Amino acid sequence: MHRRHSSKTQKQPLQVNCKNQTNLSAWQKGGRIDLKQSVQDHPSPNENDSKQGSLEQALSYFEKIQDRVSLKKNSVLQKHLTTVESIALERGLPPEGFDVLLNVALSGKLADTVNTRLLKSLIPASVIPENSVVSSVSWLCVSKCSGNIQQLFLRWLITVFDFIDHKEQLHALYGIFFSFLQDEKLCPYVCHVLYLLTRKENVKPFRVRRLLDLQAKMGMQSHLQALLSLYKLFCPELVTITLPGKMKTYFKNSEGPWKAAINTVRRRNQENSVVSQPMFLGTAQPQSRKRKWNTQLIIPASSTNKIHLEEDREKNHVDLYSTNESFPVEQLQTFSHLLENIHRLEFPSQMGSVLTNPLLLHYMNCVKDESIYLRLHYWMGQTLQEECIWCVADNNKYEEEFKDFLETIYKTECFLQEGFSSCEEFLYKSLLLWDGFCCRSQILRLVSWIPLSSFPEMKSHLYDPLAQLFFTSSLYFKCSVLESLKELLQNWLNWHMVHLDPESDSEVHSLNTTLSGLVNTVAELIHFVGWLSTVALRLENNPTFLLYFILDFYETVCDMYLRYNLPLLIMPPAGVFYPVLLSMDSVSLNQLCYIMYRYRTNLVAAKENELNKKKIRQFKFSSQTYQEYNQYITAMVGCLWTSSAFQKDTHPQGLRMDDELLKKTAVQEYKTSFNIVYHPAMMGYAVLFLQQAWPDDTTFNFSLIKGKKWNSYLEYLYAQGLKGLKVFIESSINRVSQASHSKAQNVQV
C-alpha cells in the first residue's frame, strides 16, 4: 500500500494539482490531460488563467491570516471571499483549497459571518483530502469556533462524506467524534457522522451505556435510535433494549446549500468538458449521468490508488492476499479475487456503487452482513426520498435518469432475490401521489419485490392506491398491474420455499411473519386480484388481452399447494370463471381447462394428505373450497361435454336457467350451444375439421361430428395444441363408452 502524502506538509502549486485531480483516467493511461482542455468553463484561456490566479491569491491570503480580521471596511478580505464563493459555485474547489479554508474557518480568526460563507463555499470539484478533514476535527477539539460554526461544519462533513478520498484516519477519530455527543445541539449531527463511520470494532460496552444514558436524558430521539440500531446489529448482546424493527428516516436533511451547488457544478463541468471527466469520485470510465445516484453507482477510487494502479500491478498481485490489510474494492476484478479476499473486503463509502457491481452483490449474498444492508437501505431511502420526480418540485427534467436509477434497483433486487425495505417505504409513501404514468414500468417492477407485510399495512399503502389508479386507467395499465401482482405473488412463494418449513408454524423472518401469517397475506393478495379482475372485465367488456393476464395469475394460484408447498388454494371468483368459460377465444378457454386440471390435482393431493395419518398437517382446506371447485367443474362439463349446463349448474352466479326462459331466446339447439363443437371459441376448429373430414360437403353440418367422428374430432383438437382441454377431459370426464359422448360423470373431489 502506498503512503498518502499530507497536503499540509507537501504543498504543490495549485494549478499542477488541479491537473492531477481533473481526469484520473489520464493517470491510469500514463498520460496527462491539461486543465484548460478538460474543464472549459469559459471559452477564453486567458480568462480561465485569470480566475485560476485569483483563486491562488485568495487561498494564499487566507493561509497567511494570523490575527483576527474584521470584514467591515476590509476590501481585500471582501475581494478574496467573493473570489472563493464565485469560483466554488462556478466549477468547485480543487482538493488543495479545503485545507486552507477549513483551517481559517474553524480557527476563530474571522467573524462567524465570514466563516459561514467560507463553509458554504466548500464545494468539491473532485475529491476532498482526508488530512484536511482530520485537521479540522482538531480545531473542534480546542473550541476556537462558535457552536453554530461547529454545527455547520458537521453538516458539511455529512453532505460531502462520500467525496473524502480516504477514511482510515477518520475512523481513528471515532472516539473524538463520540465525545461530542454530550453537546445537545451537536448530538444529532454527531450521531449521523458516527453512523457513517461505525464498524464492529467501534461498538464497546461503555459507548452503549453512554447512548442509553443520553436516551434516558433526552427521550426517544431518532438519531440515538439510529446509532443504537447499528450497534445492536453488530453486537446484539450489548444492546438488549427493544428498538424499532423497520428502517426509518433517522436523520434530518443535513445537506443545506451544498447538494444543489454540487449538482450544479457537476453538470456544468460535464457539459462543458471535451473529455468526459470524473470530477466526482469515480473511475476512468466515461460518465453521462449527472445526478446523485449515478455518480455513486461506480466504485469510488482514491486518487492515490488510481494514479499508481497500473505501475504497481505486479506488486499488488503479490501483496493483495496479505491478511494484514484490507483488499481495495476498486481492484476487485474477477470472481477468483472475490473468493480469495472475501474475508478482507471492506465496502466503499458510496454504497450506491454496490448496485452495479456483480462481485459485490455476490459478496452480499454470501456473507449476509446486516451492516451492509443497513447502510445500503439508509443511502437508498435518502436518495429515493430526495430525488423522486413527482414528490419533489423541479425534478421533472431528470425523469430519464430517475428511470435508470429505479431500473438499477430492480435489477439488484432480482440479483439478490429480495426486496429492499427502503424501496418498500418509498413506494408506500409515493404511490398516493403517483399519477400512474411517470416511470410506470419501473414502479410496477419494484412493486413486485415488496417484502411480506401485514394486510392492513399493505391495504392502505399499496392496494388502495393501486385500485384507484387501476379503475381509472387504460387497459394496458390494468394488464401491467396484474402482471406486477403476479410477480409479487411468485416472489413471496419463492421466499416461502427458501425460508419456511411447511410443516412448522414456528419459523419467522425479519417481519415476524409465521406460516399462518404468510397464508393470510397471500390469501388477501389473491382476493384483491380477484376483485380487481372481476371489475376490470366488466369495465372493459371481457377483452382477450385482459383475460390472458388474469388467467396467467391464476395459473400460479392453482398450483401453490404442490409447486410451492403452501397449504392454500383459492378458486377464481365467478366474475372471472364464467366470462372465461363463455369466451370467444380458444386460447383463454384452453388455459381455463388447464387451470381447472391443476386445481383438481392439487385438491386431490391435499385430500390424500389429510387422510394419510403419517402426514398430519395443521392447515386443511375448507369444505367451501371443494364445494366451489365441484360447482365450477359441473358447469364446465355441462357446457363442453354433456350439454347440460343450463340445467345442472348449481353456482349462485352460474348458468342455470329455466327451460321456458331458454325457449324465449329462439335458439333452436340451446342445450348444445356451448359444447366443444358449437362453443363460440371452438366453432372455428369444428369448421376446419369438417373441411378436412368431408372436403366435398359445403353445408357445414356440425351434427356429423358424432360417434367415431367425435373421437377423431377430439384428436384433431389435441393436435392443434389444446393441451389444456386434453388434460381436463382426461382427468375430469369419465367417458362411459367410446361410442357415445353424450353421457359423462363429474368426478367429485
Side-chain angles (χ1 to χ4, degrees), residues 291 395 408 462 513:
R291 298 291 281 172
N395 275 355
T408 300
L462 177 64
T513 299

Short mmCIF file of all heavy atoms in Angstrom, two decimals, residues 291 395 408 462 513:
data_model
loop_
_atom_site.label_atom_id
_atom_site.label_comp_id
_atom_site.label_asym_id
_atom_site.label_seq_id
_atom_site.Cartn_x
_atom_site.Cartn_y
_atom_site.Cartn_z
N ARG A 291 -26.84 13.01 -11.98
CA ARG A 291 -27.48 13.12 -10.68
C ARG A 291 -26.75 12.31 -9.62
O ARG A 291 -25.85 11.53 -9.89
CB ARG A 291 -28.94 12.64 -10.77
CG ARG A 291 -29.77 13.49 -11.72
CD ARG A 291 -29.99 14.88 -11.17
NE ARG A 291 -31.04 14.87 -10.16
CZ ARG A 291 -31.32 15.93 -9.42
NH1 ARG A 291 -30.64 17.03 -9.52
NH2 ARG A 291 -32.29 15.87 -8.54
N ASN A 395 -37.90 18.42 -10.20
CA ASN A 395 -37.15 17.22 -10.55
C ASN A 395 -37.63 16.59 -11.85
O ASN A 395 -37.10 15.57 -12.28
CB ASN A 395 -37.25 16.17 -9.43
CG ASN A 395 -36.23 16.39 -8.34
OD1 ASN A 395 -35.37 17.26 -8.45
ND2 ASN A 395 -36.31 15.61 -7.29
N THR A 408 -32.06 0.20 -12.08
CA THR A 408 -30.88 -0.39 -11.44
C THR A 408 -31.27 -1.06 -10.12
O THR A 408 -30.79 -2.16 -9.80
CB THR A 408 -29.82 0.69 -11.18
OG1 THR A 408 -29.43 1.27 -12.44
CG2 THR A 408 -28.59 0.10 -10.51
N LEU A 462 -50.65 0.09 -0.36
CA LEU A 462 -50.42 -0.49 -1.69
C LEU A 462 -51.71 -0.76 -2.43
O LEU A 462 -51.93 -0.24 -3.53
CB LEU A 462 -49.61 -1.79 -1.55
CG LEU A 462 -49.36 -2.55 -2.86
CD1 LEU A 462 -48.49 -1.70 -3.81
CD2 LEU A 462 -48.72 -3.90 -2.60
N THR A 513 -43.25 -12.84 10.25
CA THR A 513 -44.33 -13.49 9.55
C THR A 513 -44.20 -15.00 9.71
O THR A 513 -43.27 -15.59 9.20
CB THR A 513 -44.32 -13.12 8.06
OG1 THR A 513 -44.48 -11.72 7.93
CG2 THR A 513 -45.45 -13.81 7.34
#
